[in-house]
């Protein structure tokens, strides 16, 4: 084993550096104490005075000329809770719709189409998608049909299936629409028809 010598370093500070460190420590200590007292209740020498945020936090104050007061913090929390409930209801409705097979057919009844409703996963683009599941053709008609007739019948059955999906979605969402109108009516808003 080799013994290596131990080296000690002695750091000497200049008096200006020590003074600067003490000022910095004093400043940080002052700011720490001040931030603690910022949240303590203040006792004002003026009796009966309250800030506007203290007065209007839970429901707003009376406005000039008899106007209705604005919603306060509790009203906003109630609105947020109601919006979350509606989002859960919408998700449940979307799951129910996704489990249904929606059928459409051509005007001559020779082509039948089955579509699925695919709810949107992107809140920035709420448009749902439609997924074709199956196409059924009348065998005799299919054997003798021209490509133009096939194309037209398939297009008609697709459009009919999409219309059926849209009708099913509209019927399911009527419940959600009623909840939304009820909520806006209860909060003093004007429900849209």
């Amino acid at each position: 084993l080799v013994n290596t010598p131990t080296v000690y370093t002695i750091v000497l500070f200049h008096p200006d550096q020590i003074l600067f460190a003490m000022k910095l420590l004093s400043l940080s200590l002052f700011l720490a104490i001040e931030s603690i007292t910022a949240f303590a209740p203040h006792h004002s020498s003026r009796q009966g005075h309250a800030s506007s945020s203290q007065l209007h936090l839970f429901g707003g104050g009376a406005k000039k000329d008899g106007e209705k007061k604005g919603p306060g913090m509790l009203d906003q929390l109630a609105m947020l809770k109601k919006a979350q409930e509606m989002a859960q209801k919408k998700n449940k409705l979307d799951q129910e719709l996704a489990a249904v097979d929606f059928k459409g057919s051509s005007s001559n009844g020779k082509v039948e189409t089955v579509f699925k409703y695919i709810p949107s996963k992107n809140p920035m683009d709420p448009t749902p998608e439609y997924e074709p599941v199956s196409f059924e053709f009348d065998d005799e008609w299919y054997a003798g049909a021209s490509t133009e007739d096939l194309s037209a019948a398939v297009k008609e059955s697709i459009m009919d299936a999409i219309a059926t999906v849209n009708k099913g979605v509209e019927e399911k969402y009527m419940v959600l629409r009623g909840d939304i109108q009820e909520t806006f009516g209860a909060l003093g808003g004007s429900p849209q028809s």
Side-chain angles (χ1 to χ4, degrees):
L1 293 176
V2 177
N3 283 338
T4 56
T6 305
V7 177
Y8 295 101
T9 305
I10 298 175
V11 178
L12 298 176
F13 291 101
H14 190 273
D16 289 338
Q17 291 175 325
I18 294 172
L19 183 62
F20 177 75
M22 288 176 61
K23 286 181 180 178
L24 187 61
L25 180 63
S26 298
L27 179 64
S28 61
L29 184 61
F30 173 76
L31 291 175
I33 291 171
E34 191 61 33
S35 67
I36 291 171
T37 60
F39 295 105
H42 294 284
H43 298 289
S44 176
S45 60
R46 295 181 281 173
Q47 295 294 328
H49 173 73
S51 72
S52 111
S53 64
Q54 288 173 334
L55 288 176
H56 305 304
L57 184 61
F58 297 104
K63 294 192 176 189
K64 297 177 184 174
D65 301 327
E67 294 177 22
K68 292 179 84 176
K69 62 182 182 178
M73 187 175 181
L74 292 179
D75 292 335
Q76 292 173 358
L77 291 173
M79 287 173 49
L80 178 63
K81 183 177 179 182
K82 191 67 173 177
Q84 289 172 338
E85 289 173 9
M86 283 188 254
Q88 289 173 349
K89 283 184 182 181
K90 181 193 178 298
N91 288 338
K92 183 180 178 196
L93 292 175
D94 283 344
Q95 289 173 355
E96 291 174 8
L97 287 166
V100 176
D101 289 336
F102 294 96
K103 296 180 181 179
S105 63
S106 61
S107 60
N108 62 6
K110 303 297 181 181
V111 180
E112 289 187 358
T113 306
V114 176
F115 267 68
K116 285 280 195 187
Y117 171 83
I118 308 295
S120 175
K121 303 288 185 210
N122 181 2
M124 298 304 288
D125 181 21
T127 307
E129 295 182 20
Y130 309 105
E131 181 178 281
V133 176
S134 67
F135 291 89
E136 290 186 28
F137 300 90
D138 180 274
D139 291 334
E140 286 181 34
W141 177 81
Y142 182 80
S146 68
T147 55
E148 290 82 16
D149 291 341
L150 276 171
S151 177
V154 168
K155 180 180 177 183
E156 288 174 359
S157 69
I158 289 173
M159 298 307 287
D160 188 45
I162 290 174
T164 304
V165 173
N166 288 338
K167 183 178 178 187
V169 169
E170 185 177 338
E171 289 171 358
K172 284 279 190 185
Y173 277 20
M174 288 303 288
V175 173
L176 193 61
R177 181 179 178 192
D179 287 349
I180 291 171
Q181 288 178 337
E182 181 181 309
T183 299
F184 282 117
L187 294 174
S190 57
Q192 301 288 328
S193 295

